[in-house]
Amino acid sequence: MDWGCFVIEFLQVIIYGIVLGCIISLGAIGVSLIFGILRFAHFAHGDMMSLGAYFGLVGVVSLQLPMYAVFPLAMGATALVAAALDRSIYRWLRSSTPIIMLISSVGAALMLRSAIQVVWGPDNKIYEAGIKLPYIFYGLRIKPDQLNIIFGTAVLVVLLHLFLHKTRMGKAMRALSDNMDLAQVTGINTERVIFWTWMIAAAMAAAGGIFLGIDTRLNPIMGWRILLPVFAAAIAGGIGNLYGAVLGGLLIGIVQELSTMVISPAYKPAVAFAIMVLMLVFRPTGILGGKE
Amino acid sequence: MSIAKGSITGLIGPNGAGKTTLFNIMAGFLVPDSGTIRLEDEDITGLPAYKLFHKGLLRTFQIPHEFERMTVLENLMVVPPKQAGELVLSSLLRWGTVRRQEQQNRRKAEEVLDFLQISHLTHELAGNLSGGQKKLLELGRTMMTEARIVLLDEPGAGVNRTLLGKLAQDIRRLNTDLGYTFCIIEHDMDLIMELCHPVVVMAQGKVLAQGDMQELRNNRAVQEAYLGG
Amino acid sequence: MELAGLLTYFIFFLTVAGIYAVLSLGLNVQWGFTGQINIGVAAFFAIGAYSSAIVTTEASPFHLGGFELPFLLGILAAMFASGFLAFLVGLVTLKLRGDYLAIASIGIAEIIRLFLKNEGWLTNGVRGIPAIPKPLSGLTESGDALLFLLVILAFVFVIYMALERLYQSPWVRVLRAIRVNEDAVQAAGKNVLRFRLEAFVLGSVIMGVGGGLYAHFTTFISPSAFDPMFGTFLVWVMLIAGGSGNNKGALLGAVIIWGVWSGTEIFTSRLPEMWVTRASAIRIFLVGALLEFILIFRPQGLLPEKPPKTPGTARSEKSGVSPAAGRADT
Amino acid sequence: MSLLQVDDIYGGYGNADILHGVSMHIEPQEIVSIIGPNGAGKSTVMKAVFGLLKVRQGRILFNNKDITRRRPDQIVHLGICYVPQEFNVFPSLTVHENLEMGAFIRKDSYSEQLDHVYELFPPLKDKRGQSAGHLSGGQRQMVAIGRALMLNPSLLLLDEPSAGLSPLFIEQIFERVLEINKSGVGILMVEQNAKQALSFSHRGYILSMGGNRFEDSAENLLNNREVAEMFLGG
């Protein structure tokens, strides 16, 4: 292979990595938000992504809605499920240890996944049949879907940034993430903020799930499979730090895809794991520095 | 600063003077940025806490670190070093040895409880003790092994008057009978006065003065440190 | 005939429950005694199964093998392999906070799963390893299943007794102390990391045994047998339902939850055709709900942990009058 | 009628009491300091008033309303604000956002109050866009006090406002506290820095071992030999 080809190939892989990174980022943002405020690793987050993807399926296939209308619908529906989950399960365990919360989120993950299987069945699903032709720039192929994913993620991250910095509830969320006790003595209704945190985290997860469904296929275990990269991204970026989560997501996505140039693609998830372990051992606060 | 062998050295100073930080460094819970710590001429700077323990340097905590879901007896029996039963295989295979050691340790623990006069609490869960009793238990844990020097972090905090008197007595008895060296952080000046000689005053991360409590009380700088500029 | 069928089913039920009991006893060492969260039980289970299978099977062109070692050496290999894996994982992760261990452990499980699937030379990939010898088979005409059940029960019994003895030992006493307050254990001169690592490895070794037993029971293993649902979550629910920290609880949980699981199968198999395919999902949903229910309403499980009796010549035990002693022992 | 009245309270964390019968009262528009040796339970009294720990026995009245055992978020609504000693700002929020958080529960417009706070602490105005975590200790204390003022409270609880500050800043902070008081806010303050605190308080309480030891006008306490000695035992 000559040098030019190699560069093209390399850039091509980087593009795939960015697409995957965007999807991972959207999950990692939620994991990071929840950890920042509730101090536990939310193991049901991947399955929330799956749920979002399937709600998207309802919008696309059953309701025949255009994609831009599907997103708010699926994100809203997933947010409601998250809120219900918090009200019915997590809230009762808030006073116990983060470890118990973690175990209960594993239970919640099981419930979400099996609920998806019951409703939609265990088979692979896709949003749209047919192959779209990629655009080609200087030999680089990029599909319209992939552009949409990158663009959509950027829009969502900007919206989230605006929410967190311009709205009262967003600022309160950041305040809670800084110091829950101080927020309490300031008179902030922490339960309400926590409620909103769940909704936002779940909405982001839903969007990530739909993108994942667009990029690959839908199946009930898709969320569980991507949970490890999502955690790895949140940790690599500095858990509790949103921009870190985005950066971490892109890092994990790109390195995972690049790794396929050297090792068997089957071991992609192992790469995420390796980055995470290296991070934990050498720089536990993550790239941008997170909470403890 | 130095702590003389066989002394009961008091460490006092206003809040934020850095006393507990100093303790944490001496006991191996924090690593100093610079400087050295020596235990009888041996450099122990930066050694982890569990290694210092085996060199005879023990500590207690300001907020009692009891094992709350374990009985008082178990709390004490965790401490003795080199227990055969702490190895999985010997627990399984050399049960006789382990049992014998356990009996020894148990006797030792019972002696300690007798010494502290809390043997009626032997089988109580440590979490159910009062604040003062927990302090005694902290002290008791240091008695389960041969110690050269014991760092006590506010043994008197939250302890009522009667129990405090007893605590003071126990510390003195340990000092005279068993030859323990103590270094005590304490805010209760009565306790310091009763027990400690010499007393070291710290303020803003530095040693301000050292000497007898009587002298220190009349020391201008010390008064200032406490009352504020 | 009806009765014989029932008996066969009963033997099968107990055999599987026994294997699960081994897994949940192993998890009890990690979570119950020490407070370590291992969400990759399936990995150690699988490693155990594959190790034992590989060293005991006849030569095959599809996977590594041909050692034809006896069953007990297979189990030994299973113990060694899963223990070694646990040692490596532990070295890296045990210094970190508990939730990081949890995250790392799902990573390990994922990697092991990929490994078993993709390294065909070793494991025959997704097609799995067949013809794993079953010990004591062929000795009687129809009693193979029963004999194997006895083997399993013997393992459960030995592991249970060993753990009960350990529970009385200074070793577990230190583990329980670490769970409550690590700093104070440090101050008492114990190398906390060493104890944690030992607990993690011991727990995983026991899970490895469970894997080995499973391989010889089914005589055929493939990666799909070790999915997280059966390999990890069910074990967690068993331990938490039975009572974390209590070995009897781990046994009881294994039997009861396996009972619930098999019981719901009888129920779901009567569902209308279109629902049968989804029945397993419904059952998993119920297991998840059961876990939440227990965590919220009875976090200590059916048989709560209780402090072990301290050995020694207790004066209070001799005289038997101390009221405090009475309270602590009940 | 006292603004705040504390009647013989007992309480602490968990089972062990730290307070053994503390009583005090604060009149409207008064500055009252609580001083005493370390471990006397000074901060604990304040936390008890603000509902941050268990009061086992005794009564706390605010404007004649019983607030014993109310939660902090309820107490805030009644017009008491609390400034903790440590970790009293949201470090990743800007100065401005910190102040906004202080007014979180206000439904009405608070821009006037915001201007008032910036007037009171001019340095904050220049740093309004900076994250509070990057401020100096003194500025952080200003943010913390400013945040508490956003609700226009009638009683302000300050837990060691001078802790860890350089002398210059201590003076500045105390001056501001005096000014806040002049605008009609009652102030209850825990202080290590006994002399300076008393020098601008109306009255003071001296605690020791979780109970009242002395209560007097600030002036008398300052000149009391016994008080000075008490800090050093005896």
Side-chain angles (χ1 to χ4, degrees):
Chain A
M1 194 190 334
D2 72 79
W3 188 237
C5 269
F6 176 79
V7 170
I8 293 289
E9 175 76 4
F10 183 80
L11 289 177
Q12 187 69 53
V13 172
I14 296 267
I15 289 175
Y16 291 148
I18 291 174
V19 172
L20 179 61
C22 284
I23 295 166
I24 295 174
S25 294
L26 288 172
I29 284 172
V31 163
S32 218
L33 257 181
I34 293 168
F35 187 89
I37 290 176
L38 292 164
R39 305 276 147 178
F40 82 102
H42 185 229
F43 271 66
H45 212 73
D47 296 283
M48 258 176 197
M49 292 175 79
S50 319
L51 190 67
Y54 277 90
F55 279 138
L57 191 71
V58 173
V60 176
V61 176
S62 313
L63 305 177
Q64 302 275 324
L65 293 173
M67 226 26 180
Y68 62 82
V70 164
F71 271 89
L73 183 92
M75 289 165 76
T78 313
L80 287 181
V81 171
L85 215 52
D86 182 53
R87 281 290 143 103
S88 58
I89 298 175
Y90 298 136
R91 201 158 93 138
W92 305 105
L93 296 168
R94 277 228 241 292
S95 54
S96 62
T97 62
I99 299 296
I100 296 294
M101 299 270 299
L102 190 161
I103 294 173
S104 90
S105 75
V106 175
L110 277 187
M111 292 168 72
L112 286 179
R113 190 191 325 159
S114 42
I116 291 172
Q117 270 196 39
V118 170
V119 178
W120 287 284
D123 309 322
N124 288 332
K125 296 240 161 41
I126 46 168
Y127 288 117
E128 276 172 277
I131 295 163
K132 287 186 204 154
L133 289 179
Y135 303 121
I136 300 181
F137 309 92
Y138 305 103
L140 282 177
R141 280 150 297 144
I142 181 159
K143 286 186 242 162
D145 280 345
Q146 292 174 323
L147 275 182
N148 287 340
I149 290 173
I150 297 175
F151 178 70
T153 305
V155 169
L156 284 172
V157 170
V158 170
L159 282 180
L160 180 67
H161 174 89
L162 290 177
F163 172 79
L164 287 175
H165 288 266
K166 299 294 172 203
T167 68
R168 236 163 63 103
M169 187 49 75
K171 289 173 196 172
M173 254 180 220
R174 285 161 56 218
L176 240 69
S177 171
D178 267 0
N179 189 336
M180 176 84 93
D181 293 335
L182 186 61
Q184 232 149 15
V185 304
T186 310
I188 296 174
N189 182 342
T190 49
E191 273 301 319
R192 232 181 84 214
V193 182
I194 290 173
F195 189 76
W196 273 90
T197 306
W198 278 112
M199 307 255 282
I200 300 287
M204 289 288 158
I210 298 177
F211 287 148
L212 183 61
I214 292 175
D215 194 38
T216 56
R217 276 162 307 182
L218 285 83
N219 69 57
I221 206 148
M222 64 196 273
W224 180 256
R225 291 265 181 271
I226 204 169
L227 184 63
L228 180 64
V230 163
F231 273 131
I235 288 172
I239 198 149
N241 183 323
L242 295 185
Y243 311 102
V246 175
L247 219 60
L250 290 175
L251 172 82
I252 301 281
I254 291 171
V255 178
Q256 271 200 6
E257 291 296 341
L258 281 180
S259 73
T260 58
M261 298 175 81
V262 244
I263 60 170
S264 154
Y267 288 110
K268 258 201 277 184
V271 175
F273 177 77
I275 297 175
M276 180 177 85
V277 168
L278 288 178
M279 238 17 210
L280 285 176
V281 172
F282 294 106
R283 197 179 154 84
T285 53
I287 310 171
L288 292 188
K291 309 220 145 50
E292 334 157 28
Chain B
M1 68 174 273
S2 68
I3 298 163
K5 198 170 178 170
S7 73
I8 304 181
T9 302
L11 186 56
I12 64 171
N15 263 351
K19 302 174 304 264
T20 297
T21 312
L22 179 65
F23 254 41
N24 278 334
I25 290 175
M26 287 198 285
F29 281 82
L30 292 173
V31 179
D33 293 333
S34 65
T36 55
I37 304 157
R38 277 191 302 276
L39 181 67
E40 296 190 337
D41 291 330
E42 185 187 352
D43 190 345
I44 57 164
T45 321
L47 285 183
Y50 73 92
K51 286 195 177 145
L52 292 176
F53 173 92
H54 293 289
K55 296 195 181 297
L57 190 149
L58 274 57
R59 75 164 298 181
T60 68
F61 296 89
Q62 181 183 351
I63 300 158
H65 281 33
E66 81 284 354
F67 306 122
E68 64 224 17
R69 280 179 291 168
M70 296 163 74
T71 64
V72 168
L73 184 65
E74 286 183 294
N75 263 267
L76 294 180
M77 288 177 65
V78 164
V79 179
K82 309 215 165 52
Q83 297 186 36
E86 284 178 4
L87 296 167
V88 180
L89 281 183
S90 36
S91 290
L92 290 176
L93 305 176
R94 294 168 53 214
W95 189 239
T97 320
V98 171
R99 235 186 134 73
R100 255 195 317 286
Q101 258 189 21
E102 282 284 271
Q103 281 164 5
Q104 269 169 25
N105 287 335
R106 176 160 184 160
R107 267 196 298 279
K108 172 92 185 161
E110 282 167 353
E111 278 165 27
V112 167
L113 292 173
D114 280 342
F115 181 90
L116 298 172
Q117 293 164 13
I118 48 171
S119 41
H120 58 288
L121 298 172
T122 308
H123 296 280
E124 191 60 58
L125 288 185
N128 298 342
L129 301 187
S130 75
Q133 290 166 335
K134 285 178 186 171
K135 289 281 184 185
L136 285 177
L137 180 58
E138 286 267 298
L139 192 61
R141 278 216 303 263
T142 67
M143 296 168 59
M144 288 299 291
T145 179
E146 300 298 309
R148 286 201 274 177
I149 174 163
V150 179
L151 310 177
L152 299 177
D153 196 348
E154 297 203 29
V159 179
N160 69 43
R161 281 278 144 204
T162 28
L163 206 51
L164 196 65
K166 192 173 136 33
L167 198 71
Q169 236 179 36
D170 290 341
I171 293 173
R172 182 167 298 292
R173 265 163 66 202
L174 282 172
N175 177 249
T176 49
D177 298 359
L178 302 177
Y180 275 33
T181 303
F182 281 104
C183 177
I184 305 178
I185 294 183
E186 184 51 64
H187 288 309
D188 186 332
M189 294 300 161
D190 297 342
L191 188 71
I192 288 279
M193 193 114 89
E194 194 183 325
L195 278 177
C196 300
H197 180 85
V199 175
V200 177
V201 186
M202 279 184 77
Q204 304 197 322
K206 289 196 191 86
V207 171
L208 193 70
Q210 182 161 1
D212 196 5
M213 197 59 211
Q214 287 301 339
E215 298 160 32
L216 290 175
R217 286 182 73 180
N218 299 322
N219 181 324
R220 260 328 271 165
V222 174
Q223 284 185 5
E224 290 291 322
Y226 266 90
L227 292 176
Chain C
M1 188 59 221
E2 181 75 350
L3 191 67
L6 212 59
L7 192 66
T8 310
Y9 181 76
F10 188 65
I11 290 172
F12 168 79
F13 174 86
L14 275 186
T15 308
V16 180
I19 292 171
Y20 270 118
V22 172
L23 294 178
S24 100
L25 283 170
L27 186 61
N28 194 30
V29 175
Q30 294 174 346
W31 166 245
F33 293 178
T34 329
Q36 293 164 337
I37 329 175
N38 179 357
I39 310 215
V41 177
F44 301 98
F45 183 38
I47 287 290
Y50 271 91
S51 310
S52 191
I54 286 169
V55 301
T56 54
T57 43
E58 289 170 17
S60 151
F62 301 114
H63 60 86
L64 186 71
F67 303 101
E68 295 186 60
L69 295 177
F71 163 72
L72 281 179
L73 284 182
I75 298 293
L76 208 62
M79 290 166 72
F80 179 79
S82 53
F84 184 69
L85 177 69
F87 176 76
L88 293 182
V89 175
L91 270 189
V92 182
T93 54
L94 289 181
K95 268 179 255 175
L96 305 166
R97 275 200 339 232
D99 35 4
Y100 287 145
L101 174 64
I103 296 170
S105 67
I106 60 167
I108 298 294
E110 182 71 4
I111 289 173
I112 295 295
R113 191 184 66 85
L114 293 172
F115 183 81
L116 296 177
K117 241 178 161 166
N118 294 302
E119 302 305 315
W121 59 274
L122 183 67
T123 63
N124 198 21
V126 287
R127 286 178 301 279
I129 299 182
I132 304 164
K134 196 165 191 167
L136 304 181
S137 63
L139 289 181
T140 57
E141 231 164 83
S142 58
D144 284 4
L146 185 62
L147 278 179
F148 193 73
L149 173 61
L150 291 179
V151 171
I152 299 258
L153 291 183
F155 270 96
V156 172
F157 179 77
V158 169
I159 293 170
Y160 170 78
M161 290 312 285
L163 289 185
E164 277 294 284
R165 173 166 278 196
L166 267 187
Y167 194 64
Q168 314 275 332
S169 77
W171 184 70
V172 170
R173 191 162 59 214
V174 174
L175 294 182
R176 289 165 57 226
I178 289 174
R179 203 177 50 183
V180 185
N181 198 321
E182 209 181 303
D183 277 351
V185 179
Q186 282 258 353
K190 313 291 179 208
N191 183 347
V192 171
L193 271 185
R194 191 204 96 192
F195 280 92
R196 278 210 189 132
L197 189 59
E198 285 172 353
F200 191 68
V201 169
L202 178 66
S204 304
V205 164
I206 296 173
M207 291 170 190
V209 174
L213 293 175
Y214 176 81
H216 295 281
F217 166 61
T218 59
T219 69
F220 167 76
I221 52 173
S222 73
S224 65
F226 306 97
D227 85 340
M229 173 61 208
F230 292 99
T232 301
F233 303 135
L234 218 46
V235 183
W236 268 96
V237 179
M238 285 165 177
L239 181 60
I240 287 177
S244 333
N246 187 326
N247 292 320
K248 283 192 195 68
L251 294 184
L252 182 71
V255 175
I256 288 185
I257 298 298
W258 183 242
V260 169
W261 182 257
S262 329
T264 50
E265 185 173 27
I266 296 168
F267 164 73
T268 50
S269 61
R270 287 175 193 192
L271 286 172
E273 184 65 31
M274 112 180 228
W275 282 96
V276 170
T277 48
R278 301 180 171 179
S280 133
I282 295 178
R283 290 158 73 202
I284 296 177
F285 185 88
L286 292 177
V287 169
L290 180 64
L291 176 67
E292 303 297 354
F293 185 85
I294 299 168
L295 284 177
I296 294 171
F297 295 104
R298 196 171 166 84
Q300 73 275 36
L302 290 169
L303 298 177
E305 183 182 1
K306 56 180 181 189
K309 278 196 223 109
T310 324
T313 51
R315 48 187 167 187
S316 51
E317 273 163 28
K318 269 184 192 160
S319 59
V321 286
S322 162
R327 218 173 325 144
D329 286 346
T330 47
Chain D
M1 181 183 87
S2 299
L3 182 63
L4 180 80
Q5 189 164 343
V6 176
D7 283 339
D8 199 30
I9 54 170
Y10 288 75
Y13 308 93
N15 300 329
D17 279 357
I18 296 175
L19 305 177
H20 307 281
V22 176
S23 301
M24 55 184 58
H25 63 98
I26 291 114
E27 300 306 315
Q29 304 184 22
E30 213 179 13
I31 303 184
V32 175
S33 291
I34 308 177
I35 57 180
N38 282 345
K42 298 176 305 240
S43 300
T44 317
V45 174
M46 197 164 264
K47 286 180 182 159
V49 170
F50 203 66
L52 288 168
L53 61 84
K54 226 166 73 188
V55 175
R56 203 171 46 76
Q57 193 186 316
R59 214 162 52 129
I60 303 167
L61 298 178
F62 177 65
N63 280 333
N64 258 355
K65 202 174 191 172
D66 194 338
I67 60 164
T68 328
R69 285 181 276 277
R70 292 233 188 155
R71 292 195 318 267
D73 54 315
Q74 297 170 322
I75 291 175
V76 167
H77 281 272
L78 297 174
I80 304 181
C81 284
Y82 166 67
V83 181
Q85 181 187 347
E86 285 179 302
F87 309 113
N88 51 18
V89 298
F90 299 111
S92 68
L93 268 59
T94 64
V95 169
H96 194 75
E97 288 170 336
N98 262 281
L99 297 181
E100 282 181 322
M101 282 301 112
F104 190 81
I105 59 172
R106 278 180 77 153
K107 300 268 182 296
D108 53 340
S109 153
Y110 50 77
S111 58
E112 238 173 74
Q113 192 69 19
L114 204 57
D115 292 340
H116 174 64
V117 170
Y118 279 134
E119 244 168 66
L120 204 56
F121 300 111
L124 296 189
K125 195 156 194 176
D126 306 331
K127 309 223 163 196
R128 47 186 293 162
Q130 267 190 30
S131 39
H134 294 149
L135 300 180
S136 73
Q139 289 164 339
R140 240 185 278 188
Q141 198 63 45
M142 290 179 193
V143 173
I145 296 175
R147 197 194 58 247
L149 285 178
M150 288 302 292
L151 285 181
N152 209 355
S154 47
L155 177 64
L156 193 57
L157 308 176
L158 300 176
D159 195 349
E160 302 214 16
S162 76
L165 300 188
S166 67
L168 185 69
F169 266 126
I170 294 181
E171 203 153 314
Q172 269 188 31
I173 291 286
F174 281 163
E175 265 170 32
R176 294 302 101 183
V177 170
L178 207 56
E179 196 160 326
I180 292 164
N181 173 253
K182 287 208 178 105
S183 70
V185 183
I187 287 168
L188 176 63
M189 182 167 68
V190 162
E191 257 303 331
Q192 194 76 47
N193 205 327
K195 262 191 195 167
Q196 219 163 359
L198 285 175
S199 69
F200 74 96
S201 301
H202 299 110
R203 284 184 306 116
Y205 288 89
I206 296 189
L207 298 191
S208 155
M209 305 298 292
N212 288 51
R213 191 80 166 251
F214 296 99
E215 171 195 351
D216 211 333
S217 72
E219 219 172 313
N220 289 348
L221 286 176
L222 271 176
N223 297 325
N224 190 335
R225 245 338 265 159
E226 267 185 281
V227 171
E229 281 182 4
M230 203 200 81
F231 276 82
L232 299 174

